[in-house]
Amino acid sequence: MNSVRVDALTIHYDPAESRSVELVKDACERSLALLSESWGLQPPPGCSVYIMTSWLRFVFQSAPWHRRVLLALFFPLWCCRARSAWKSAGGWVQGYGQVPAVGIKPPRLIADAERRVGDQLFVRDVDVDDEVRQITCHELTHACSNHLRLPTWLHEGLAMVSVDRLRGRPSVKRETLDLIARRSVKTSPSGYPRSSLKDAEAWVYLYARGYWLTRYIVDERRALLGELLARRRSHREVEDMVARSFGLRHEQFWSGIDEVLVTRFRQVEG
């Protein structure tokens, strides 16, 4: 593979993807500047970006040699999940200790991705190059915040709000507020790992709620956000801090926050 440096990152790519590398390089430069300025986040040492054309190749190429042995031994345990994710994901992050590897599909593969569920959540851009930029920003946000081990709602919410800032307008559909409002089963954030794309409404609900809650914190609780990103905390501590900022106890928070978010953003979004 060929490689090129961008600030603290190394981008790896096949020679056939020379057009894609310029697009991803620009997206990395813009995203890293945004993440530093907005959230004070920096890429960890050794972080790499791969323009991935195969899920199997990306996983084995990005892994340290000793991890490759384990990946091969336990291949049947993880290959089905990776193969399934490949159909709809534009990118993802592989964590190897403190050194994450970011995989980004080139435009031609993103254009062919399964969008049935994602289109219920995200505002779709006509320009696939813009999608590549946004996916790069989303995944770099994950890579730069992985060391904090944030709760999934904040981990994903922060990545989506970062994309908002990159594109200069919301990336999540306003209609997701209607889904949050009518959802009768107020699933706790622990539902993320159990929610697959087969349960589309649950998936959209959880990710949309994480996005709108993170937006609320970014807009109204910037000092709190700074505390949450300052150091690693347990998920319980993070959620206790957020609940207190809304004047709620932890056990009340997830059953009551939806109404707060819907009321607030329906007014803001008009």
Side-chain angles (χ1 to χ4, degrees):
M1 296 190 85
N2 292 352
S3 62
V4 61
R5 293 285 294 178
V6 178
D7 296 328
L9 298 176
T10 302
I11 301 175
H12 302 278
Y13 64 99
D14 291 330
E17 299 299 334
S18 57
R19 176 188 174 276
S20 299
V21 74
E22 291 303 318
L23 176 62
V24 173
K25 180 181 176 183
D26 173 69
C28 287
E29 290 172 344
R30 293 170 59 188
S31 298
L32 291 176
L34 183 151
L35 294 173
S36 177
E37 180 181 341
S38 297
W39 324 126
L41 294 174
Q42 302 292 333
C47 182
S48 295
V49 175
Y50 290 77
I51 298 177
M52 59 179 186
T53 55
S54 157
W55 64 268
L56 186 61
R57 231 179 128 193
F58 166 62
V59 170
F60 278 95
Q61 285 181 334
S62 64
W65 68 267
H66 59 282
R67 290 291 187 100
R68 294 175 189 172
V69 175
L70 294 175
L71 287 168
L73 287 173
F74 295 100
F75 182 77
L77 300 180
W78 60 266
C79 69
C80 291
R81 183 177 178 184
R83 187 184 293 116
S84 177
W86 177 260
K87 297 175 184 177
S88 57
W92 69 62
V93 176
Q94 287 288 116
Y96 301 112
Q98 297 297 315
V99 184
V102 179
I104 306 293
K105 285 181 178 178
R108 60 186 175 81
L109 293 182
I110 288 176
D112 293 335
E114 166 59 51
R115 300 175 181 271
R116 178 181 56 85
V117 178
D119 279 354
Q120 296 180 47
L121 178 65
F122 297 112
V123 177
R124 182 176 176 183
D125 281 295
V126 176
D127 189 339
V128 71
D129 285 2
D130 283 342
E131 288 192 64
V132 173
R133 294 183 185 97
Q134 291 167 40
I135 290 166
T136 302
C137 180
H138 186 109
E139 301 305 335
L140 280 178
T141 307
H142 287 333
C144 293
S145 61
N146 263 358
H147 65 288
L148 297 170
R149 299 293 188 266
L150 299 170
T152 306
W153 64 266
L154 180 55
H155 187 62
E156 294 295 340
L158 190 68
M160 288 186 273
V161 173
S162 295
V163 172
D164 285 1
R165 294 196 164 205
L166 183 75
R167 74 198 298 264
R169 57 193 186 279
S171 58
V172 171
K173 291 182 174 180
R174 185 188 181 282
E175 291 79 5
T176 57
L177 290 169
D178 300 330
L179 170 61
I180 293 172
R182 70 172 182 266
R183 179 79 176 178
S184 59
V185 180
K186 303 299 186 183
T187 312
S188 72
S190 61
Y192 276 87
R194 303 183 187 93
S195 295
S196 71
L197 296 181
K198 294 179 181 178
D199 188 353
E201 183 174 289
W203 188 90
V204 174
Y205 167 68
L206 288 165
Y207 279 79
R209 183 171 61 172
Y211 167 79
W212 293 109
L213 177 53
T214 303
R215 263 193 66 177
Y216 195 116
I217 294 170
V218 168
D219 293 347
E220 305 290 342
R221 307 280 197 278
R222 287 305 296 268
L224 171 62
L225 181 67
E227 290 183 60
L228 298 178
L229 300 182
R231 64 177 177 85
R232 182 175 174 179
R233 303 173 189 270
S234 71
H235 291 186
R236 176 70 189 219
E237 183 182 3
V238 168
E239 290 168 8
D240 279 345
M241 291 170 66
V242 175
R244 284 197 302 271
S245 77
F246 284 89
L248 298 170
R249 297 194 304 274
H250 186 278
E251 57 270 22
Q252 301 172 313
F253 186 69
W254 295 111
S255 61
I257 193 59
D258 288 5
E259 183 177 354
V260 174
L261 297 175
V262 170
T263 299
R264 197 265 184 182
F265 284 106
R266 276 180 172 169
Q267 293 172 347
V268 171
E269 300 289 305

